[in-house]
Amino acid sequence: MSRAPYQGVTVLELADGVACAYAGMLLADRGARVILLEPPAGHPLRHRPSPGAGSAKRFAWLARGKESLGWDDDSAQAMTVLERLLGRVDVLLTDRAESWFAARGLPLDELLHRFPQLWIARNSAFGARGPLADLPPRDLLLQARSGLLAGEAKLAGDGVTPLPLCSTAMTAYPTGILLALGVGTMQLSGERQVSVSEYAVALAVSAVRTTDNAAADRLRNLAKQKLAAARARGADHALLRAARADLAVPPGNVFYRAFRTRDGAVFVGALSRPLRDKVRRVLGIDYGYPDDPTFDPADPARRAECVAMEAAVEAQFRAETSATWVARFDAAGVPVGEVIFPEDASALPQVLANGDVVAVDGDASELQVAHPARFGGWAMPPPRPAPAPPTIAAPDWVDDWIADPAR
Amino acid sequence: MATPLAGIRVLEFSQVIAAPFAGQLLAELGASVIKVEPPEGESWRHQAAFAPGESKSFQSLNRGKRAVTLRLDNPRARELVQRLVRTIDVVLINYRPDVPAKFGIDYETLGRLNPQLIYADLTAFGRIGPWALRPGYDGVVQAVSGLLAGEAKLRPDGSPATIATTAIADYATGMVLADAIVTALLHRARTGEGQFVACSLLATALNLQGDLVMERPAADAERNALRARRRKAQQAGVAYDRLVAERTASRASADAVYERCWLVLDGAIAIAAELPAERIALGRLCGFDPAAGALLAAERISAWSGARTRADALTALTQAKVPAVDVLFGEELAEDAQARDNTIFAALEHEQSGAQTAVTPLLRFATPAPPPRPSPAIGRDTDGILAELGYSAAEVAELRSAGAIGGAR
């Protein structure tokens, strides 16, 4: 493949959230021309760090390979500039609500009519309708509303207040990938608009919790009923959590979890009977749960056995080093891995061997995570740096600017 | 009806979550997807099964596909695959890198039979490197990529706890694969050329933490100093949970008070006040005067929220234009107005297990999607697919008695 897959496609990114930013990044990596509209104060991602990463890094990562154009929503010329752009680009990538467009005299459902060359890829966030339709797609809100946050049961020091997941913007990145998929699908098919609801994505990736399956849901239905009854009584959050006790994973899972070791931690991943048998052999334990059908973890005696077994195995792992445990489980063919911190990932031999981090074009000292897919026959060039803060576009030069192929 | 990938035929050698989810996305977009399984069905059918060969998770990851059972170690089955692959646009596969060649389903073999083929490969850690042949699951990848430690969630004994609400690396990698396949289809539409595309759980897991994993010396002085200190502490034998606690403390920010959860009388809410105007409005609601200079204290917000019901708190916050929602549990979303008004859940009937709902379609176009089709029972379509390929009933019976294909349905 000699030509970049999205060469010749121009994308106008009019969005604040990580989902559209990541979608734009994926498309830019694949050769699309991605124009990022930034307000006078700079795009919010320039200023909003993810915890511990600093704002400079987040923007450098998500805006790589893009071009910036300043756009002042408050200025008299704003709509003239925007209409000029919409008349020239191939794809509008946005997470603004329908009301935002309508308020500016550019209702979304008329855009395709007014601009016959335009396609639209939209993160509809919580959805185009309903009481939450105008909420911005912020990670915390999506986690909270979708059950991801409460279901995670990560609690603050008071033992009750829920804490959000923090290792990643976990609804935004998948939504961004689906938006990129949507743009490609439109190109293949002639469909001119696609929308992905980040809220729906949050529900989809936890489908086992959020969807109904009459034959499978005995315990879940019990929990649903108790939860509904607790809600009706106005129960507080602690009681609501307790109402779902039937869904709690019983103790005794020593087969698919992480363990502290003498010098760190490892994760053991045995998800089948044969693999669990291997774990039993490596650990030298005679432990029927969960494969022995006569082993009932609800029976108090058996439950005590589960608790004791878990504590014993934890102590076993703590007695030896991570390297020892990894070697043992590797030799037995059980999936296992050492727990590392994110700041160590870029130096992993496996990561380096596969080119999963790459130097940014023009600055070999900056290493970024590589595009997640590899294409045979097309050597993806190194990513270009993120753009510097732009000047505000004016109608008298924006046409020339966008027409310039050298950009 | 929106079926943008109508006419595209996919042959899926897949198991567990990531690759099946990719195939389901393509099926949702209108592609014809055939899933190849061993005669006993793929392993995920048996994970938390509620009936023989049927688990809720499997059913939620394999909608809209047809199912064929083959014994790939049988040469007659391999002949069948080679005949089938000539009619196929995309092979989607997540076996360990050394396995496909043993069964004659590697790209070299199949690409020779069908040069336009798009061969989409998903591995746990990547196709080369010291870990290429090691088995992996989402949990292992969470561990070795930094996601697990980055989540800073601990079990009572101080060991790391996983992101439990979903196998996020698995789902995201499935999406990456579907996206890569469509990109390759675009290239093929232009040039007539097929190709090999690849992705891995590890590469995706790194993407999910792109800003944490990247190295940017100009911005990294503090980060790298903390990293050096943590590595030293690790070598000195400081326990994992202490290292996590210190890392969390080093990342604490005064901003955190504006974006977090709060208890209310009848549950919990989440407030995400990002913009200055939103923060000022939040402060005002709690009787706090920003001109006074100090930061809004957590105690002030928790006193405000703790005295109110969900409904009252959210009404006040919405009126003040402070983005906030209530904290819900996954099990109560089916009745939720937001999900209902946006038809997020679709209802369908499964041949084996009856009524169910699904979050579909994820990609919405101008025209409505066709109704979703449930996942298939083991080997449900073996005979039908062989008939399409031109095998007679006698030939099918013979293949079955030779052990090349699974039992009749």
Side-chain angles (χ1 to χ4, degrees):
Chain A
M1 175 156 59
S2 47
R3 202 175 103 158
Y6 282 79
Q7 197 168 315
V9 177
T10 303
V11 179
L12 184 68
E13 189 180 314
L14 172 60
D16 293 334
V18 171
C20 285
Y22 188 58
M25 189 199 101
L26 294 174
L27 297 171
D29 280 355
R30 291 181 216 151
R33 179 185 180 195
V34 180
I35 298 166
L36 178 65
L37 284 185
E38 297 200 51
H43 192 278
L45 286 173
R46 287 189 190 269
H47 311 299
R48 275 191 57 72
S50 55
S55 54
K57 293 180 82 169
R58 196 171 223 204
F59 189 80
W61 152 244
L62 290 169
R64 75 186 189 197
K66 299 180 185 175
E67 301 169 45
S68 267
L69 190 60
W71 188 67
D72 184 357
D73 195 9
D74 286 329
S75 80
Q77 302 174 322
M79 296 322 297
T80 309
V81 169
L82 186 57
E83 287 174 37
R84 295 262 172 95
L85 292 170
L86 291 173
R88 294 273 198 286
V89 301
D90 299 307
V91 181
L92 170 65
L93 175 64
T94 186
D95 60 12
R96 299 280 160 92
E98 287 190 11
S99 56
W100 186 94
F101 286 93
R104 286 157 181 78
L106 282 176
L108 270 177
D109 54 6
E110 284 177 23
L111 280 188
L112 295 181
H113 225 63
R114 285 179 63 173
F115 306 106
Q117 90 300 339
L118 186 68
W119 300 335
I120 301 174
R122 223 182 122 222
N123 176 5
S124 60
F126 282 90
R129 286 175 285 280
L132 307 181
D134 281 344
L135 272 181
R138 293 184 188 165
D139 192 57
L140 172 65
L141 303 177
L142 287 152
Q143 282 193 35
R145 205 44 174 57
S146 65
L148 281 173
L149 190 156
E152 194 57 28
K154 202 173 155 189
L155 302 173
D158 63 3
V160 185
T161 304
L163 289 173
L165 293 146
C166 65
S167 53
T168 175
M170 68 184 297
T171 60
Y173 281 106
T175 304
I177 301 164
L178 290 177
L179 284 168
L181 168 62
V183 171
T185 305
M186 286 196 287
Q187 285 222 272
L188 262 186
S189 63
E191 293 281 350
R192 289 185 60 206
Q193 57 179 306
V194 66
S195 80
V196 178
S197 156
E198 193 167 337
Y199 184 52
V201 172
L203 302 186
V205 300
S206 52
V208 169
R209 285 171 197 249
T210 60
T211 60
D212 299 329
N213 186 320
D217 278 349
R218 190 183 61 87
L219 283 179
R220 181 174 174 273
N221 288 343
L222 263 176
K224 260 177 94 160
Q225 281 159 25
K226 291 185 185 175
L227 189 53
R231 284 277 190 208
R233 286 195 309 269
D236 65 24
H237 192 69
L239 289 173
L240 293 168
R241 289 190 56 236
R244 296 168 75 245
D246 295 302
L247 292 176
V249 176
N253 163 38
V254 298
F255 303 105
Y256 193 82
R257 57 160 284 185
F259 292 94
R260 271 179 53 196
T261 62
R262 204 167 78 204
D263 59 348
V266 295
F267 188 98
V268 175
L271 275 182
S272 68
R273 171 83 196 248
L275 284 176
R276 285 192 289 270
D277 282 342
K278 290 180 178 182
V279 172
R280 290 178 178 103
R281 278 198 290 280
V282 169
L283 294 176
I285 58 177
D286 176 14
Y287 181 46
Y289 179 71
D291 296 299
D292 176 356
T294 69
F295 192 118
D296 177 13
D299 169 352
R302 292 301 212 174
R303 193 179 181 90
E305 197 181 322
C306 289
V307 172
M309 178 59 68
E310 214 170 302
V313 171
E314 285 167 359
Q316 218 178 331
F317 271 91
R318 277 201 304 275
E320 300 195 77
T321 64
S322 296
T324 303
W325 285 113
V326 168
R328 277 195 194 127
F329 285 107
D330 264 354
V334 175
V336 65
E338 197 172 335
V339 176
I340 69 157
F341 286 85
E343 296 80 22
D344 295 334
S346 66
L348 286 174
Q350 184 67 11
V351 167
L352 295 171
N354 282 277
D356 288 337
V357 290
V358 289
V360 167
D361 187 30
D363 182 2
S365 72
E366 179 169 339
L367 289 180
Q368 289 202 9
V369 176
H371 192 83
R374 301 298 146 80
F375 297 94
W378 181 54
M380 194 175 285
R384 286 163 296 129
T391 45
I392 304 297
D396 62 346
W397 57 259
V398 72
D399 290 329
D400 290 339
W401 183 90
I402 201 167
D404 185 348
R407 296 181 176 282
Chain B
M1 288 272 154
T3 50
L5 297 187
I8 300 293
R9 286 170 55 91
V10 181
L11 186 62
E12 192 186 298
F13 299 88
S14 71
Q15 53 201 334
V16 192
I17 296 175
F21 187 63
Q24 182 174 269
L25 280 171
L26 299 174
E28 195 175 282
L29 292 167
S32 253
V33 180
I34 298 171
K35 183 176 171 110
V36 175
E37 302 180 68
E40 67 275 15
E42 66 122 314
S43 62
W44 210 238
R45 288 183 181 271
H46 311 294
Q47 178 67 21
F50 61 85
E54 299 292 343
S55 72
K56 184 173 182 183
S57 186
F58 177 88
Q59 291 192 352
S60 75
L61 291 162
N62 290 278
R63 285 191 303 275
K65 302 177 188 175
R66 297 194 291 168
V68 157
T69 48
L70 303 177
R71 279 202 196 289
L72 288 172
D73 54 4
N74 184 309
R76 305 288 305 284
R78 295 208 286 273
E79 269 167 33
L80 196 167
V81 168
Q82 294 187 355
R83 202 156 135 178
L84 184 52
V85 93
R86 288 185 169 93
T87 71
I88 289 292
D89 299 292
V90 180
V91 163
L92 196 166
I93 183 161
N94 75 318
Y95 291 179
R96 232 175 48 198
D98 56 330
V99 168
K102 294 186 183 141
F103 296 136
I105 55 173
D106 54 309
Y107 181 49
E108 288 65 38
T109 307
L110 299 183
R112 226 177 296 124
L113 296 167
N114 181 349
Q116 294 209 309
L117 186 69
I118 287 147
Y119 190 100
D121 177 84
L122 191 159
T123 56
F125 305 109
R127 296 182 54 76
I128 56 178
W131 295 352
L133 299 185
R134 294 176 68 191
Y137 282 111
D138 177 88
V140 175
V141 173
Q142 278 195 32
V144 303
S145 66
L147 261 181
L148 192 60
E151 191 50 44
K153 190 178 164 195
L154 296 170
R155 301 178 65 108
D157 76 317
S159 49
T162 42
I163 297 171
T165 34
T166 178
I168 190 64
D170 266 330
Y171 276 95
T173 308
M175 296 174 191
V176 166
L177 196 60
D179 182 24
I181 287 167
V182 165
T183 301
L185 284 169
L186 265 176
H187 173 75
R188 195 183 74 167
R190 248 188 235 141
T191 64
E193 293 167 5
Q195 65 179 297
F196 180 93
V197 303
C199 64
S200 74
L201 299 182
L202 179 55
T204 302
L206 297 177
N207 268 263
L208 296 177
Q209 316 164 78
D211 43 4
L212 298 184
V213 169
M214 67 189 274
E215 307 282 339
R216 192 167 212 246
D220 277 350
E222 194 187 324
R223 170 215 195 239
N224 290 353
L226 286 166
R227 174 174 66 183
R229 235 175 51 204
R230 189 254 306 149
R231 282 176 177 166
K232 230 173 117 183
Q234 222 166 340
Q235 271 154 24
V238 172
Y240 174 81
D241 50 342
R242 266 272 304 276
L243 298 173
V244 163
E246 281 169 15
R247 185 170 176 275
T248 302
S250 74
R251 287 142 58 94
S253 116
D255 271 358
V257 73
Y258 293 109
E259 298 181 46
R260 49 158 284 187
C261 296
W262 305 93
L263 298 177
V264 290
L265 287 169
D266 57 347
I269 60 173
I271 300 177
E274 237 179 65
L275 306 174
E278 293 166 353
R279 293 181 175 188
I280 290 169
L282 175 61
R284 289 215 172 96
L285 265 187
C286 304
F288 171 73
D289 176 11
L295 284 171
L296 179 54
E299 291 72 23
R300 201 175 267 279
I301 307 179
S302 69
W304 182 86
S305 68
R308 285 164 173 74
T309 60
R310 283 190 296 165
D312 287 345
L314 290 173
T315 302
L317 288 159
T318 306
Q319 275 169 4
K321 296 198 179 9
V322 179
V325 295
D326 47 5
V327 175
L328 297 183
F329 295 89
E331 299 79 37
E332 53 187 349
L333 291 172
E335 285 74 43
D336 170 42
Q338 193 63 20
R340 209 183 45 235
D341 290 357
N342 291 283
T343 61
I344 287 185
F345 295 105
L348 62 157
E349 277 287 317
H350 192 285
E351 281 168 5
Q352 270 65 41
S353 53
Q356 58 186 229
T357 60
V359 180
T360 182
L362 286 173
L363 274 64
R364 300 198 172 196
F365 301 93
T367 45
R373 287 165 297 138
S375 62
I378 299 174
R380 182 194 64 189
D381 307 292
T382 305
D383 287 25
I385 287 167
L386 291 183
E388 280 171 17
L389 272 182
Y391 286 88
S392 69
E395 283 167 322
V396 171
E398 199 271 312
L399 279 169
R400 189 158 276 131
S401 62
I405 63 178
R409 306 294 306 180

